[in-house]
Amino acid sequence: MSVPPDLHQQYLQACQNLRQPENRLVARVLQEADGSDNIRWTKGITLKIAGNNHLVPVQRVTDEDVQVLASVLCSAVFVTGLDLRYNVLTDVGVKNMATFLQQNSTLRYLNLMFNDIGTRGAELIANALHRNETLLHLRMTGNKIGNKGGMHFASMLQVNCTLEKLDLGDCDLGTQCLIAIASVLTQNKAVKAVNLNRPLLYSQEEETTIHISLMLKKNSSLVELHLCKHEMKSPGVERLCEALHENCSLRYLDLSCNKITRDDVRFLGELLKQNRTLEILDLSSNRIEDDGAIYLSGALALYNRTLKALSVVSNNISGKGLVALSQSMKINMELSYIYIWGNNLDEAACMAFSELIQAGRLKPAGTDVDPYEVEGHVHLAELSHGLKKHYYWTPSYGEENNAAANASLAIAAVSEY
């Protein structure tokens, strides 16, 4: 068995050679990694050097720190994951990271979310991935790479045949970039999951949704798609549902924070009647109201036996719609996760979901509400459960080990390292 390298000692030596001061956070993480058991080393280890850790004093990683770290990790074949989220890396430091990606043959997961990487940094990383054949999962979330930076990633996807999961959420992508990515994904068969949340769109014509819909008609490999905050309205929802009638691969569709109304849910209801692939549907923070909830409940009760998770958080649904959804769960035994917090939880809704939970039909880990009784009246309290509760942040008590907080990973995980 290979002996794991002494990363901490190598790091201290590299700091001396490059005349860089030691970063206490990096040194501590490497020292802890050295103390890991042999089983973890054999399977590969992820270095979590996140700059938003509230449990320990954090010295955020800078461009100079990355130069030293990259020189150490180039020969560390046991390190297969690197988490550098919420640090202060800029395009200057990304140059060293890009060189590392070109030379490294073992890294499978790289998290750079919410640093200060711009267009030039995006270009460097994308160019490095033209030749990299090991990285499976890249998170660029929250770096303002803009439309030009996104275009570099679109070009990369024409060449790279390894990357399976790409997160470009909150990156200020533009219309041109989204159309380019959609066009490339009609040919790319490697990408299984893509996050395109919160682009900057200035048109009301929904051109991006139309191109994404055309892609879904031809793509047979994409499993997970996030289209949060795309200003999606009735025409876009209709085109998207038309495409998904022909798509046989997508399992997780995120349409949260759009402008989907009760009338638009008719298209989703018709889709659920025929679709045999979709397992997770996120409609959080739209406005489907009671009529929309009833459309969904009818499709789920009578036709669909594939959907496992549904989120209708904050959709202005009252007791009538929520009761209908609870009734559909009594018939449809496949639907195991439902999230309803943020709606009008009147007495009828509280009673309906309390009965589901007490009867064991709805597990406490499968919903975001918990019933309690006060003076003979049933109420619902909020639980910290959801499809992706900790997508942006880590709880102050450390990494979340409760699978119910990020249930999508347990239902339809894709390349999650």
Side-chain angles (χ1 to χ4, degrees):
M1 180 182 294
S2 300
V3 179
D6 188 346
L7 295 178
H8 181 243
Q9 190 59 43
Q10 290 183 21
Y11 173 71
L12 296 180
Q13 186 62 50
C15 287
Q16 291 182 3
N17 295 341
L18 296 172
R19 298 182 179 179
Q20 293 291 344
E22 173 190 342
N23 182 301
R24 294 187 300 276
L25 174 61
V26 175
R28 182 181 61 80
V29 171
L30 294 181
Q31 193 168 25
E32 290 176 356
D34 288 337
S36 301
D37 55 67
N38 288 332
I39 295 178
R40 287 186 65 197
W41 280 107
T42 303
K43 292 182 177 180
I45 193 168
T46 296
L47 299 178
K48 297 182 178 180
I49 315 177
N52 65 335
N53 191 334
H54 301 289
L55 299 180
V56 295
V58 169
Q59 180 183 350
R60 291 192 171 181
V61 178
T62 65
D63 295 334
E64 292 75 18
D65 295 327
V66 166
Q67 180 184 7
V68 181
L69 184 62
S71 69
V72 173
L73 297 183
C74 276
S75 58
V77 296
F78 295 96
V79 176
T80 55
L82 183 58
D83 183 350
L84 290 169
R85 57 186 158 169
Y86 291 100
N87 283 295
V88 288
L89 305 184
T90 69
D91 294 348
V92 176
V94 166
K95 184 176 181 180
N96 292 309
M97 183 58 63
T99 303
F100 171 65
L101 285 174
Q102 290 176 344
Q103 298 172 351
N104 186 277
S105 60
T106 58
L107 199 69
R108 290 181 285 173
Y109 168 68
L110 178 60
N111 189 341
L112 297 173
M113 68 183 291
F114 288 100
N115 278 275
D116 295 320
I117 302 170
T119 301
R120 176 57 180 162
E123 181 181 7
L124 291 168
I125 293 175
N127 288 342
L129 292 179
H130 279 254
R131 290 176 288 279
N132 181 285
E133 297 180 352
T134 58
L135 195 70
L136 299 177
H137 184 177
L138 174 63
R139 291 197 69 178
M140 292 293 295
T141 324
N143 290 290
K144 304 309 177 184
I145 65 175
N147 190 68
K148 290 184 178 179
M151 290 297 290
H152 291 299
F153 279 103
S155 300
M156 177 272 294
L157 292 175
Q158 291 182 302
V159 179
N160 185 289
C161 298
T162 308
L163 195 67
E164 293 185 0
K165 189 167 185 176
L166 176 62
D167 191 335
L168 297 176
D170 299 270
C171 286
D172 291 354
L173 305 181
T175 300
Q176 182 187 15
C177 166
L178 291 179
I179 292 175
I181 291 175
S183 300
V184 171
L185 289 179
T186 60
Q187 303 295 328
N188 185 300
K189 304 302 180 185
V191 175
K192 302 294 188 297
V194 63
N195 188 322
L196 302 173
N197 287 351
R198 212 224 67 177
L200 298 182
L201 304 176
Y202 300 100
S203 171
Q204 299 296 317
E205 300 299 323
E206 298 194 78
E207 301 99 325
T208 57
T209 305
I210 292 172
H211 280 82
I212 290 171
S213 300
L214 293 172
M215 176 271 293
L216 288 172
K217 287 185 177 182
K218 299 179 181 180
N219 184 291
S220 58
S221 57
L222 197 65
V223 174
E224 180 178 334
L225 177 61
H226 295 268
L227 300 175
C228 174
K229 299 180 181 178
H230 272 241
E231 298 287 320
M232 197 178 300
K233 300 180 287 295
S234 186
V237 175
E238 182 177 8
R239 292 294 294 270
L240 195 64
C241 290
E242 286 177 0
L244 289 174
H245 279 288
E246 302 180 29
N247 182 283
C248 297
S249 65
L250 197 70
R251 300 204 307 262
Y252 183 179
L253 177 61
D254 177 6
L255 298 178
S256 58
C257 301
N258 279 289
K259 295 184 177 181
I260 300 173
T261 66
R262 59 185 182 183
D263 295 326
D264 305 333
V265 178
R266 291 179 184 268
F267 303 119
L268 289 166
E270 291 300 317
L271 171 66
L272 290 176
K273 289 180 182 180
Q274 301 180 35
N275 184 278
R276 297 294 177 267
T277 309
L278 206 60
E279 297 180 4
I280 304 175
L281 179 60
D282 190 348
L283 294 174
S284 304
S285 302
N286 283 284
R287 197 174 181 83
I288 70 171
E289 302 179 321
D290 284 347
D291 289 346
I294 292 171
Y295 295 146
L296 291 175
S297 63
L300 293 170
L302 301 176
Y303 301 96
N304 186 284
R305 292 296 180 271
T306 309
L307 199 73
K308 297 179 181 179
L310 173 67
S311 178
V312 291
V313 170
S314 301
N315 264 278
N316 199 34
I317 306 172
S318 65
K320 181 180 178 181
L322 293 172
V323 169
L325 287 172
S326 71
Q327 293 298 320
S328 69
M329 292 197 71
K330 294 180 179 180
I331 302 171
N332 184 341
M333 305 307 291
E334 294 300 320
L335 184 62
S336 304
Y337 300 81
I338 188 165
Y339 305 98
I340 62 170
W341 188 259
N343 293 293
N344 182 13
L345 302 177
D346 59 14
E347 188 171 0
C350 292
M351 284 295 296
F353 279 88
S354 175
E355 291 173 2
L356 284 177
I357 295 170
Q358 291 176 358
R361 169 62 188 91
L362 181 58
K363 304 297 182 184
T367 186
D368 57 349
V369 293
D370 184 33
Y372 66 96
E373 188 172 327
V374 177
E375 297 182 351
H377 295 280
V378 176
H379 303 273
L380 296 176
E382 184 184 14
L383 294 177
S384 186
H385 297 171
L387 292 174
K388 48 176 185 175
K389 202 77 174 182
H390 298 141
Y391 170 72
Y392 287 111
W393 55 280
T394 301
S396 59
Y397 49 79
E399 291 290 338
E400 178 59 72
N401 294 319
N402 181 10
N406 297 288
S408 62
L409 300 181
I411 304 168
V414 180
S415 302
E416 188 61 34
Y417 190 74

